[in-house]
Amino acid sequence: MVVQPIVVVVAPGQELPELPGDILVATDRREARGPLEGLLAGLSAISPLAEAAFATSCDVPLLVPEFVRAVVERLGEAEIAVPVEENFAHPLAGVYRTSVIGVIEALLAEDRMRPAFLFDKVPTRRIPVEELRAFDPELASLRNCNRPEDYAAALEEAGFSDLGTSEGGDTSMM
């Protein structure tokens, strides 16, 4: 395991499948407030246990451990380390110090919910994605699966056959 403990952030009332006992679960304080709300919940849950956390989305099935290590190692003295592709930052593939919790709370109170606002407020190490290709040549760690065909492609890339993904997104084991 590259990082631990693991915190899963859920929306209020969201049901989860059974998780291993060592996984922490945190709940967003308010629904539909975007990634900053999730970062706040996750960082708040982990703050007694760690100084920083790697944040990812639940729809990134091909996350490469070496990629995570590389981003963590590049944090240095910054408050945040985030991969950047041209002008686009990947906020859910970054490392955040728990010391940014107060800044996130202030931004959310002002309804400034874009992660870019956070990056502008605190020292942020912007990592060119090309620098991370040495650890994840295809940058699979930055690809999320938002559609059934994305999931099918991820399964194929991981060496699995399509396990019954239908157009509606339901999956069954055959």
Side-chain angles (χ1 to χ4, degrees):
M1 187 174 311
V2 176
V3 294
Q4 60 182 348
I6 294 175
V7 177
V8 173
V9 178
V10 298
Q14 180 180 359
E15 291 185 34
L16 289 177
E18 188 173 330
L19 299 172
D22 60 343
I23 292 182
L24 305 172
V25 177
T27 303
D28 287 341
R29 294 178 189 172
R30 295 174 60 194
E31 282 188 84
R33 304 271 294 168
L36 281 185
E37 187 71 35
L39 284 170
L40 175 60
L43 290 172
S44 295
I46 210 162
S47 65
L49 307 170
E51 176 184 317
F54 180 84
T56 189
S57 164
C58 64
D59 60 355
V60 181
L62 301 176
L63 188 63
V64 175
E66 292 78 14
F67 177 95
V68 175
R69 279 188 199 94
V71 176
V72 170
E73 289 169 358
R74 281 155 179 73
L75 180 60
E77 298 299 315
E79 295 294 305
I80 298 169
V82 63
V84 177
E85 193 166 10
E86 295 177 17
N87 291 326
F88 178 75
H90 291 273
L92 294 180
V95 177
Y96 298 80
R97 291 194 189 278
T98 56
S99 58
V100 303
I101 289 172
V103 179
I104 294 173
E105 288 173 327
L107 288 170
L108 288 169
E110 298 168 0
D111 288 328
R112 298 182 71 210
M113 297 183 287
R114 293 183 48 224
F117 296 135
L118 178 60
F119 304 152
D120 291 341
K121 288 251 185 211
V122 300
T124 299
R125 165 81 159 86
R126 291 168 170 82
I127 309 163
V129 294
E130 291 308 314
E131 187 177 318
L132 298 169
R133 281 191 188 275
F135 309 97
D136 182 357
E138 301 301 318
L139 297 176
S141 301
L142 299 177
R143 270 190 273 141
N144 35 11
C145 294
N146 295 318
R147 303 168 303 163
E149 53 269 26
D150 299 335
Y151 178 64
L155 283 174
E156 186 175 325
E157 187 173 333
F160 299 102
S161 64
D162 183 339
L163 299 176
T165 304
S166 69
E167 287 301 313
D170 294 332
T171 304
S172 60
M173 296 299 283
M174 298 182 147

